[in-house]
Amino acid sequence: MAAKKGTLYLIPTTLGESKPDWVIPAGVLATSRRLKHFIAENERSARRYLKAIGTEHPLDDLQFYILDKRSKAIDVPRLIAPLLQGVDMGLISEAGLPAIADPGGLAVAACHQNKIKVVPGTGPSSIVLGLIASGFNGQEFSFHGYLPMNKKDRLHKLRILENEVRKTGATQIFMETPFRNESLFEDMMNHCSPGTEICVATDITLQTEVITTHTVDEWIKHPPKIDKRPCMFLMGVSC
Amino acid sequence: MAAKKGTLYLIPTTLGESKPDWVIPAGVLATSRRLKHFIAENERSARRYLKAIGTEHPLDDLQFYILDKRSKAIDVPRLIAPLLQGVDMGLISEAGLPAIADPGGLAVAACHQNKIKVVPGTGPSSIVLGLIASGFNGQEFSFHGYLPMNKKDRLHKLRILENEVRKTGATQIFMETPFRNESLFEDMMNHCSPGTEICVATDITLQTEVITTHTVDEWIKHPPKIDKRPCMFLMGVSC
């Protein structure tokens, strides 16, 4: 008979410098502290987070297996080897929930293929927190990740999203690397309809959090302060 | 000068009978306990949850303003009146995060129109927890709420979702009222391609949680136990 396999716990972290107690449930913190083996996107940030919440094991005893954007399918068997040997592991990304907008899904998919149990922990998701605080349709929505870098492609994508909102009422969620926030915002101001509603959700879960929904013509009068701050952008129809 | 307005806190609750400490952060519990005025989808379930977590005020002193599927835009000014008078309120739905797959968005949208601050609390979202535990693409995804009740429309929608996955690789997330889970599952088994990958996420965050990803032909051999249990269904491509 095969030995009992370990469980892969999906370990959420804070979005930037917020207090873990404010965004991570006590039960999830307890699980995170108990583990010794982690599949991590970045060892340094994972160690910093685990040090902040405190661990049951000395920090030097923790073991990290790196899964980042350079990782390939061929690296995965080595990452999940402890799980196959019966050891529980944590999957931890640079910020927020793992396996969403990061390469963690590769480990999760391998777990399903190997009948290893996967348990997701509740934690902050800027996509969902932005959505519920936007006042937009929460019954149908799409997340698009980063918009194209190329200007022509980005404007084309914005037109597609605006049409989708108009046609279906479904909320469209997207983001940009912080240093390009201003440029994306300008594109929306210059190319979207004056009546199109945009929610800008900045510094979600941080002390400096600001979440505001306006039409394009209102935003033009009151532009947001988003330069280099983490932002989620939403286009939709107010309920 | 106008008086200072209150803040609307979006109060997450447990998904069914799980321990609040396991899915709700301590800071969010503290905020929830402090409030006296709630916009609630259902007074009974809101009271039951607040009683379970304990409140700073006697339960009989809590005030509830009902916002359910029968509510209309005309009811909203009465709901947000305390906020305009400077009183903080909580928005609370029947389960999980408010303003997603429930009518709470109506209150949130009214807050943005009245320049009332909205602060979302981290809590369990079966959509996002299902997504990260599926092993599917977490960079692009869509949530469709409930599929159509009419069989012909439902099969048509399933075909659209399957095509979307094939064309874009984006994960497609949907649900069904628990007593129709089996019927939706049969539709997928009978009408989707054998190689299409489906994740069935059942009883998310509960002791009985099971999250499994299989192709249709594997599911046919090992059907899941989903009768009348809360489920999230996902169609996608494993990372």
Side-chain angles (χ1 to χ4, degrees):
Chain A
M1 207 178 90
K4 199 178 173 315
K5 289 169 190 162
T7 295
L8 180 66
Y9 291 94
L10 310 187
I11 301 294
T13 63
T14 52
L15 304 172
E17 302 293 316
S18 70
K19 286 200 318 191
D21 281 1
W22 283 87
V23 286
I24 314 283
V28 173
L29 288 171
T31 302
S32 312
R33 288 177 184 126
R34 174 173 75 70
L35 298 169
K36 217 168 158 176
H37 296 258
F38 295 90
I39 299 172
E41 190 181 5
N42 178 301
E43 179 169 341
R44 249 176 77 176
S45 60
R47 273 190 189 280
R48 195 184 315 129
Y49 173 73
L50 292 165
K51 191 178 168 188
I53 66 167
T55 50
E56 286 183 16
H57 313 283
L59 278 171
D60 286 345
D61 288 1
L62 302 182
Q63 295 204 32
F64 293 88
Y65 306 73
I66 301 307
L67 172 59
D68 61 17
K69 61 185 178 188
R70 284 162 303 183
S71 303
K72 296 197 175 61
I74 199 173
D75 303 318
V76 176
R78 197 182 50 82
L79 301 177
I80 65 164
L83 289 161
L84 290 169
Q85 287 153 22
V87 177
D88 289 345
M89 295 184 85
L91 175 68
I92 193 166
S93 85
E94 288 236 49
L97 295 171
I100 188 165
D102 74 46
L106 213 54
V108 178
C111 285
H112 286 297
Q113 280 146 25
N114 288 279
K115 301 196 191 321
I116 291 164
K117 193 174 174 182
V118 177
V119 175
T122 296
S125 157
S126 44
I127 300 165
V128 157
L129 294 175
L131 175 68
I132 66 175
S134 67
F136 291 157
N137 178 3
Q139 184 61 46
E140 285 177 85
F141 63 88
S142 293
F143 175 65
H144 301 274
Y146 295 94
L147 292 201
M149 285 210 301
N150 173 286
K151 181 139 179 137
K152 200 180 138 198
D153 295 343
R154 193 163 66 229
L155 294 182
H156 179 64
K157 183 77 181 187
L158 282 173
R159 255 194 310 277
I160 290 175
L161 301 182
E162 216 179 359
N163 278 334
E164 191 65 19
V165 171
R166 227 173 264 152
K167 213 173 64 186
T168 66
T171 306
Q172 308 297 316
I173 312 175
F174 45 99
M175 57 197 288
E176 197 34 285
T177 44
F179 73 91
R180 274 200 292 266
N181 278 345
E182 295 276 0
S183 146
L184 170 60
F185 187 77
E186 271 175 40
D187 284 346
M188 291 194 283
M189 295 304 107
N190 293 330
H191 297 277
C192 292
S193 298
T196 291
E197 292 183 273
I198 310 274
C199 176
V200 180
T202 309
D203 288 347
I204 293 177
T205 73
L206 306 184
Q207 291 286 339
T208 47
E209 175 182 278
V210 180
I211 303 175
T212 312
T213 296
H214 277 322
T215 56
V216 165
D217 59 0
E218 286 164 342
W219 274 122
I220 289 173
K221 285 180 234 157
H222 310 283
K225 296 192 178 74
I226 55 174
D227 192 27
K228 301 192 183 66
R229 293 163 73 184
C231 274
M232 201 53 82
F233 298 96
L234 302 94
M235 204 183 271
V237 178
S238 281
C239 291
Chain B
M1 207 178 91
K4 200 178 172 312
K5 290 167 187 162
T7 294
L8 180 67
Y9 291 94
L10 310 187
I11 302 294
T13 64
T14 51
L15 304 173
E17 302 293 315
S18 70
K19 286 200 315 191
D21 281 1
W22 282 87
V23 286
I24 314 281
V28 173
L29 287 172
T31 302
S32 312
R33 288 177 184 126
R34 174 174 74 72
L35 298 168
K36 217 168 159 177
H37 297 257
F38 295 90
I39 299 172
E41 190 180 4
N42 179 300
E43 179 168 341
R44 249 175 78 176
S45 59
R47 274 191 188 279
R48 194 184 315 129
Y49 173 73
L50 292 166
K51 191 177 167 188
I53 65 166
T55 51
E56 287 182 15
H57 312 282
L59 278 172
D60 286 345
D61 289 1
L62 302 182
Q63 294 204 32
F64 294 88
Y65 306 72
I66 301 308
L67 172 59
D68 62 17
K69 60 184 178 191
R70 285 161 303 184
S71 303
K72 296 196 174 61
I74 199 172
D75 303 318
V76 175
R78 197 181 52 79
L79 302 176
I80 65 163
L83 289 161
L84 290 169
Q85 288 153 24
V87 176
D88 290 345
M89 296 184 83
L91 175 68
I92 193 165
S93 86
E94 288 236 51
L97 294 170
I100 189 163
D102 73 47
L106 213 52
V108 178
C111 285
H112 286 296
Q113 280 145 26
N114 288 279
K115 300 194 191 324
I116 291 164
K117 192 173 175 184
V118 177
V119 174
T122 296
S125 157
S126 45
I127 299 165
V128 158
L129 294 175
L131 175 67
I132 65 175
S134 68
F136 291 157
N137 179 3
Q139 185 61 45
E140 285 177 86
F141 62 90
S142 293
F143 175 64
H144 301 274
Y146 296 93
L147 292 201
M149 284 209 302
N150 172 288
K151 181 142 180 134
K152 200 180 139 198
D153 295 343
R154 193 163 67 230
L155 294 182
H156 180 65
K157 183 78 182 185
L158 282 173
R159 255 193 311 276
I160 290 174
L161 300 183
E162 216 178 1
N163 279 335
E164 191 64 21
V165 170
R166 227 173 264 152
K167 213 173 61 185
T168 66
T171 306
Q172 309 297 317
I173 312 174
F174 46 98
M175 57 197 289
E176 196 38 282
T177 44
F179 74 90
R180 273 200 293 265
N181 278 345
E182 294 275 1
S183 148
L184 170 60
F185 187 77
E186 271 175 39
D187 284 345
M188 291 194 285
M189 295 305 106
N190 293 330
H191 297 276
C192 292
S193 298
T196 291
E197 292 184 272
I198 309 274
C199 176
V200 181
T202 309
D203 289 346
I204 293 177
T205 74
L206 306 184
Q207 290 287 339
T208 47
E209 176 184 277
V210 180
I211 303 175
T212 312
T213 296
H214 276 324
T215 55
V216 165
D217 60 359
E218 287 165 341
W219 274 124
I220 289 172
K221 285 178 232 155
H222 309 283
K225 296 193 178 74
I226 53 175
D227 192 27
K228 300 190 185 68
R229 293 164 73 184
C231 274
M232 201 54 81
F233 298 96
L234 302 94
M235 202 183 272
V237 178
S238 282
C239 290

